[in-house]
Structures are given as structure tokens and as C-alpha cells.
Amino acid sequence: MSDCTSHTSEANASIGRMSRPEAFTQNIDVSTLVDSDGGLIDRSIYTETSIYAQEQRRIFARSWLFLAHTSQFKKPGDFFTTFMGEDPIIVTMDKTKTIRAYLNSCRHRGVRLCRADAGATKMFTCTYHGWSFDLAGALQSVPNEKAYPEDFDRKQWGLIEVPNVQSYKGLIFGNWDKDAQSLEENLGDMRYYMDAMLDRDPEGTEVMGGVMKWTLEGNWKLAAEQFATDWYHVNMSHASALMVLSPTGRGPKAEIAATPGRQFGSENGHGAGFPTHPKSRFDARPVHEYYDYEALRERLGDAAVEGPMTTGHATVFPNFSYLPVNGSIRVWHPKGPDKMEVWAWVLVDKSMPDEVKDAQRLYNLRTFGPSGIFEADDGENWSEIQAISHGFVTNNVPLNFQMGIGSERNDGTYPGQTSELYSDAAGRAFYRHWSKQMNTPAWHERTEQA
Amino acid sequence: MINPINIGSIDDIDEGEAKVIPSDETGTGEDIAVFHAEDGNFYALNDNCTHETASLADGWIEGTEVECPIHAAKFCLKKGTALCMPATQDARTHKVEVSGNDLLLYPNVPAEPVEA
Ligand code: FES
Ligand code: FES
Ligand SMILES: [Fe+2]
């Protein structure tokens, strides 16, 4: 498919080459911590170090994780550095123009190999002793190589490659599991909801400028879950921002504040919510005027234009989220149980004239940039949850995810299982999948299991 | 008298780029890199970095210097001088001449000393 490119390589035998004591990887059965049918979540899943470590093994080491946008790579040697869970990653375009991803750690003594956020290079050379790796990850140069034993084989000391890299309409994802279900299959019905953002322009999308990065106190799941399932907070948390943006200054009309809508939750943990209202569209005026909504309706259907293309929100499990209305695409990087780093890009349609792109960029900054009038409301709530959650009694009191229990159904219009806009259905789906993954051995454990 | 080899048109190498003449053509037993420096002139050095193994033609040309793509040693394109660590040995220069549109390389004939 032209929409999707992929690159697969063998899993590197050096991962787990030395055997480790079992005590390092003792797994916790999380089934009693998540009651996804009854809508209860134990707060320990946001605070326990052992659960956080297990997430690194059984969520981040085996899920499709967003790496970068294809427009960040134009020539061989263009690179971008990021993380998959806590693992540092170099994403680069090799000489054949294939996007490859490597662990950003020197094979010699483990220094972070590339320290730049992004750039162009011919080789990745370590600053410590000078081992040097080419764009295909091969170890090309070892100073004083003659002093190594005769059986030292540079081929065995190339970069650890992410074995599975696939992209969907410009979004590049990586997976450490080379046998993982393909990205497209994994996204499943979620593609319909993503397409409402990615397919508005037949030419596709691109990202503008650099990546905005900021740190928040708060477990990564608080943000991922909210973008999957939480329209509920909008009128309360964002009251002042909604007032500022409304023509009267007193807030949106009742019919918009109480808008109907749908919320999609997938068995793979993805979620998306959106008003179904032709006018619930908090977009920048130049962007609004740029779009030919009649043409979009013809190409993508009325349901997409009046649904997921409005002021929606979404999460691709586990930690990639986006907002179609302002082109914010972001990753919630876990940085310990209590901290996350938000990395946010501005996504625009390729065909937009420069002034429309710029209007979208400014609107994005104003609303959902690091000091955006909406963004600050959300970060504040997540941090307030986390800041108190280590109290013993606090930690023992479960959280409520019961809105809309039993409302999930196929409504005949929107693909997959959907619920009402005001619902926790996608949150329950997110945690159902999270707990299933947490209780299922991953690829790196299979030999132990066999 | 050593005969030069015609290595093609001056338009083949953009400013800031380089081209490798393989050892079987140079006759010196070594690959030679011909650089189009940012002063507009052409210079030639042995392609292999004097530090370890790397093609200087793959390096970064800045002004009339080339930076090795591997460990960032720099060499003067005019005189071959190793300008910084980790290289400690100068690179060998070869004379290049422009004749009309053609580039002529004199393998093993040192570049003429240039005034600084
Ligand atoms: S740690 Fe990278 S070369 Fe030694
Ligand atoms: S190989 Fe050129 S500086 Fe090391
Ligand atoms: Fe919000």
C-alpha cells in the first residue's frame, strides 16, 4: 500500500545476550488493579515503581510507538532523536532512503551516541572513544582496532536496530517486536478516525518547525487516557478558555456546550471522542475559511466532517495523541512513574498556503502549546492528581471510570464500538488493553516461556 | 614528466562536494579525493583519512578545509596539513589543474606550495 511503508529487520541477538536473574523481571499480576467492566482503577498503577518497570517491558517494548513524521526526513543522513518508553532512539534515513531506527546508545560502553535533537550526518560517531556507525547502523570504525582479540567482529557490534518500523499516512511508528501485528491491522477502525485529520489534503500532511517539549508532574497514562476518553472535563476545566474563544465572551451556546457526540474505543486500547455537530468547531478563522467543507464531505463523507473532523481528541495506544482541530500531535514520554515529558508537533496540510499554515501554528501555540490556554488547564489537573497520590490512604482509594457503562455499541454510522461523547468507554478500553498487555509475556520473554 | 589524468569536467563536482578517483585509475595504489573547495578552486588529497579508515570525500568541506566524517579531524585542502586531533599525520596532496572545462589530476605530484 502506498499509504504505508515498512522496514523489518531481525531482532538483535545481543538483546538479552547475558542472562539476568529473575528478580529483575518479576511480573505483577495487575488483574485486580483494573476493573474495566465495573469502571474502577486502583491508583497504584500510576505510582508503583515495579508497575512502571513492567510497563517498560510489556507495554513500551512491544507496542507501536510514534517516532516521527516522514516530512522530518528529506535526504539520507537526516536524523531525529526520540524515545520509545525510556529507551533513547535515533531515527534516520539511510542511503536507500529507508527510515531506520536504532537504540541511541554506543555499543562500546553505552554513551548516548547522538546528542543532537535533529540534524543531518554521514556517520554517528561516539564522543567517548570514537566508535563510529554508519546510517545502516554498521560499526565502521574502531580506533586502535588491532588491540582487540582476533575474533572481534565489527559486524556483531553494530547499532541495536528497532526491528519493525512502519508508517501510516506520514506518521512513523516503531515496534521492538518484529512479529508484531502490522501497524495498520493494529490501528484497525482507528484509521477511520485518524483519516479525518490525515486525509483532509490529498497531498498529505507535514510538520512545521521543531518539536515543543515540556515536563509535567504526572504519570504518562493520565494524559494518554484523557485524550482517549475525556470530553467530560472540557466545560469545567476549560471554562475560561471557552469563554474567551466564544463570540459573546460568556461561553459557547447551550447546544454546543451540551453537544451530542460519539466516543470510539478499540480492543487495542485506542480511543477517540468528538462532538457530532456541524458547528462545534473551535478552529482558527483562516484555517476554517481555507477548507472547502463541501469537497471534504464529498470525499470523506458527512459523518467524518461532522464528527471526528470537529473538535475531537484521540489517543493511539499507548502514548501518542492528537487533536484534529489544531493539528497538535504529541507523545507522552514516560519519565518515571511520577513524571512525563510532552513532545508536541504542529501538523498541517501540505497544500495549505503559508499564511494558513502559520495561522494554524499560532493557533496551536495559543491553545495547546506549552503555555496554551487549554494545555495549562489539563497539565494542572494531571499534576494535582499525581502530587497527592503517594499518600497511603489516598493510594488505596480507587478511581471512577463508570460513565456510560454498557453504552458501547455499533451505531451503524461510526466504525467499531462507540459510546456517547460524555463517557468513560474509551478509558475502560484503554485500561482493559493495558492490563491484558501487562499480564501477557512479551517477545523478549518467549524463550523463558517455551 | 608525469602525465596527468583527465578526471572529467569541472561541472561534475559542485562547490562543497568531492569526487573519489579510485586507486586503479590513480596508479598510486590509493584512492584520491578531488575537492571543489568553497574558494572555488579544486584540490586533491589521498582520500583515506590519516587517522583511521574514512573517506575524506564523504567529509564536510568548510572553506578550504575538510572535516573527516568519522572523528572530525580537519585537513587543509591546499597543503594537506592535519589541523586538529585526532589526526596527527598530514594528508598527501596531489596537483590538480583546470584546463578549459577539464580537470587534470597529477597523481603523486605534490600540489604547488601556495601563498597563505
Ligand atoms: S563508549 Fe562509545 S566508543 Fe566507547
Ligand atoms: S578516521 Fe578521520 S578522524 Fe578518525
Ligand atoms: Fe483538555
Side-chain angles (χ1 to χ4, degrees), chain B residues 1 5 7 16 18-19 32 34 38 48 58 65-66 74 86 97 99 113-114 116:
Chain B
M1 173 72 202
I5 46 180
I7 54 166
K19 166 173 170 179
I32 293 178
V34 179
E38 289 176 341
N48 190 26
D58 268 349
E65 295 172 6
V66 62
K74 284 188 187 175
E97 225 172 54
S99 149
V114 270

Coordinates of all heavy atoms in Angstrom, one line a residue, chain B residues 1 5 7 16 18-19 32 34 38 48 58 65-66 74 86 97 99 113-114 116:
Chain B
M1 N 58.6 13.3 -16.9 CA 57.4 14.1 -16.9 C 56.2 13.2 -16.7 O 56.0 12.2 -17.4 CB 57.3 14.8 -18.2 CG 56.0 15.6 -18.4 SD 55.9 17.0 -17.4 CE 54.2 17.3 -17.4
I5 N 46.0 12.7 -15.5 CA 44.8 12.0 -16.0 C 43.6 13.0 -16.0 O 43.5 13.8 -15.1 CB 44.5 10.7 -15.2 CG1 44.5 11.0 -13.7 CG2 45.4 9.6 -15.5 CD1 44.3 9.7 -12.9
I7 N 40.1 13.8 -15.4 CA 39.1 13.1 -14.5 C 37.7 13.7 -14.7 O 36.8 13.6 -13.9 CB 39.5 13.3 -13.0 CG1 39.8 14.7 -12.7 CG2 40.7 12.4 -12.7 CD1 39.8 15.0 -11.2
G16 N 31.7 22.6 -2.7 CA 31.4 22.0 -1.4 C 31.3 20.4 -1.5 O 30.9 19.8 -0.5
A18 N 32.9 16.6 -3.3 CA 34.2 16.0 -3.7 C 33.9 14.7 -4.5 O 32.8 14.2 -4.5 CB 35.0 15.6 -2.5
K19 N 34.9 14.2 -5.2 CA 34.7 13.0 -6.0 C 35.9 12.1 -5.7 O 37.1 12.6 -5.6 CB 34.7 13.5 -7.5 CG 34.8 12.4 -8.5 CD 34.5 13.1 -9.9 CE 34.9 12.1 -11.0 NZ 34.6 12.7 -12.3
I32 N 42.2 8.7 -4.5 CA 42.4 10.2 -4.4 C 41.1 10.9 -4.4 O 40.2 10.6 -5.2 CB 43.4 10.7 -5.5 CG1 44.8 10.1 -5.3 CG2 43.5 12.2 -5.4 CD1 45.8 10.5 -6.3
V34 N 39.1 14.4 -4.9 CA 39.3 15.7 -5.5 C 38.1 16.6 -5.0 O 37.0 16.2 -5.1 CB 39.2 15.6 -7.1 CG1 39.3 17.0 -7.7 CG2 40.3 14.7 -7.6
E38 N 35.4 25.8 -1.1 CA 34.5 27.0 -1.1 C 35.2 28.3 -1.6 O 34.6 29.3 -1.6 CB 33.8 27.1 0.3 CG 32.8 26.0 0.5 CD 32.2 26.0 1.9 OE1 32.8 26.6 2.8 OE2 31.1 25.4 2.0
N48 N 41.8 8.5 1.9 CA 41.7 7.9 3.2 C 42.3 8.8 4.3 O 43.4 9.3 4.2 CB 42.4 6.5 3.2 CG 42.1 5.8 4.5 OD1 41.1 6.0 5.1 ND2 43.1 4.9 4.9
D58 N 33.8 12.0 1.7 CA 32.5 11.9 2.4 C 32.4 13.0 3.5 O 31.4 13.1 4.2 CB 32.3 10.6 3.1 CG 31.6 9.6 2.2 OD1 31.1 10.0 1.2 OD2 31.5 8.4 2.5
E65 N 39.0 23.7 4.0 CA 39.4 22.6 4.9 C 38.4 21.5 4.7 O 37.2 21.8 4.2 CB 39.3 23.1 6.3 CG 40.4 24.1 6.6 CD 40.2 24.7 8.0 OE1 39.3 24.2 8.8 OE2 40.9 25.7 8.4
V66 N 38.8 20.3 5.0 CA 37.8 19.2 5.0 C 37.8 18.6 6.4 O 38.9 18.4 7.0 CB 38.1 18.2 3.9 CG1 39.4 17.5 4.1 CG2 37.0 17.1 3.9
K74 N 40.5 17.7 11.0 CA 40.4 18.6 9.9 C 41.7 18.6 9.1 O 42.8 18.6 9.8 CB 40.0 20.0 10.3 CG 38.6 20.1 10.7 CD 38.3 21.6 11.0 CE 36.9 21.7 11.5 NZ 36.5 23.0 11.9
P86 N 41.7 14.1 16.1 CA 42.7 13.0 16.5 C 43.7 12.7 15.4 O 44.6 11.9 15.6 CB 41.8 11.8 16.7 CG 40.7 12.0 15.8 CD 40.4 13.5 15.8
E97 N 44.8 20.5 -12.0 CA 44.9 21.7 -12.9 C 43.5 21.8 -13.6 O 42.9 20.7 -14.0 CB 46.0 21.4 -14.0 CG 46.9 22.5 -14.3 CD 48.0 22.1 -15.2 OE1 47.7 21.5 -16.2 OE2 49.2 22.3 -14.8
S99 N 41.9 22.8 -17.1 CA 42.3 23.1 -18.4 C 41.0 23.2 -19.3 O 40.4 22.2 -19.5 CB 43.3 22.0 -19.0 OG 43.1 21.9 -20.3
P113 N 53.2 24.6 -3.7 CA 53.0 25.4 -2.5 C 52.2 26.7 -2.8 O 52.5 27.3 -3.8 CB 54.5 25.7 -2.1 CG 55.4 25.2 -3.1 CD 54.6 24.4 -4.1
V114 N 51.3 27.0 -1.9 CA 50.5 28.2 -2.1 C 50.8 29.2 -1.1 O 51.2 28.9 0.0 CB 49.0 27.8 -2.1 CG1 48.5 27.5 -3.4 CG2 48.8 26.8 -1.0
A116 N 50.0 31.7 1.6 CA 48.9 31.7 2.6 C 48.0 32.9 2.4 O 48.4 34.0 2.0 CB 49.4 31.7 4.0

